[in-house]
Amino acid sequence: DVRRDVQNEPRDVAIYLLRTIYGETLMRIGHAFGMTQYRSVSSAVNRVHKKRKNDRRFLKKVNEVMGWIKKGQT
């Protein structure tokens, strides 16, 4: 059960990666995650973007995952 005010960081990172690496639309991402409002998807992308700017360890983790994904595409 996902509550509205509870942050779900792994989900937010997955949403961020789908948006930034694959360029998926907010609506398609929302549908894949069972989210009814694309604003929620946009908020998740923005949360990760802000946290990457302010938290070096988080930035390193997200960049590492991005590297694994991009390496797997080649």
Side-chain angles (χ1 to χ4, degrees):
D1 182 26
V2 178
R3 296 173 190 226
R4 184 177 296 195
D5 294 334
V6 176
Q7 290 185 347
N8 186 338
E9 191 171 274
R11 182 198 66 178
D12 288 356
V13 170
I15 289 169
Y16 175 83
L17 295 173
L18 284 168
R19 183 72 172 152
T20 58
I21 294 175
Y22 297 109
E24 288 291 339
T25 66
L26 299 176
M27 291 185 79
R28 284 189 64 170
I29 294 169
H31 180 72
F33 284 87
M35 301 165 81
T36 57
Q37 295 187 348
Y38 72 88
R39 289 188 309 253
S40 300
V41 177
S42 180
S43 294
V45 171
N46 289 333
R47 273 193 300 276
V48 172
H49 182 72
K50 279 184 186 178
K51 190 164 184 179
R52 287 181 78 224
K53 281 184 164 183
N54 299 322
D55 184 337
R56 288 183 184 204
R57 280 195 327 183
F58 182 75
L59 171 65
K60 186 176 178 180
K61 286 180 190 177
V62 172
N63 286 347
E64 186 176 8
V65 173
M66 287 177 84
W68 294 337
I69 292 170
K70 289 179 178 180
K71 187 175 181 180
Q73 291 178 340
T74 56

